[in-house]
Amino acid sequence: MQPTLVYAICSFNDIPSRQAIGFHLMVLEDDGNHRPWPVIVVRWGKKVLGYVNKCPHHSVNLDWEQNEFLDPNGIRLMCGKHGSTFELGTGRCVEGPCQGRALTPIALVVVDGDICAVGVHLAEDDA
């Protein structure tokens, strides 16, 4: 049985509660190639949620400016291009052109104060 892969993305305290931050990660494919993997990490109190930063409507990034992901009320993720809004807890589109579809979730855990991606092989930064 292969061990579960866990990669630290940032410190839990790097993201204020009720905020979302985007990260540009790289997935290491089985053939050794790297593939960009833009993700959104949301912290809501002690809970962390993650989604691929790609609107299901036209595959554009959600943020309209760097790290601007939440709607004006600060309670849903929002696509800056089309205005679609997504439930934080499920990623399901509740309003806009992609209604009924959902963001792609990513598995996150908090380990020793770090928010970590689980079950994906990331290319590590040697810097």
Side-chain angles (χ1 to χ4, degrees), residues 37-55:
W37 197 49
V39 300
I40 304 163
V41 178
V42 181
R43 179 176 160 212
W44 205 265
K46 294 183 179 186
K47 186 172 187 167
V48 292
L49 306 160
Y51 298 99
V52 174
N53 185 4
K54 190 176 281 192
C55 181

Side-chain angles (χ1 to χ4, degrees), residues 14-15 19-24 39-41 53 62-70 77:
D14 287 346
I15 304 176
Q19 295 293 315
I21 294 184
F23 295 90
H24 300 281
V39 300
I40 304 163
V41 178
N53 185 4
L62 294 181
D63 45 337
W64 56 95
E65 288 187 26
Q66 185 175 359
N67 293 323
E68 294 293 331
F69 294 104
L70 299 177
L77 292 168

Side-chain angles (χ1 to χ4, degrees), residues 1 3 9 32 42 45 50 52-53 55 59 67 72 82 88 91 95 98-99 103-104 106 108 115 117-118 127:
M1 185 171 167
I9 297 174
V42 181
V52 174
N53 185 4
C55 181
S59 298
N67 293 323
H82 305 104
L88 288 178
E95 192 174 309
C98 56
Q99 195 164 354
L103 299 173
T104 302
I106 63 169
L108 297 176
I115 298 172
V118 180

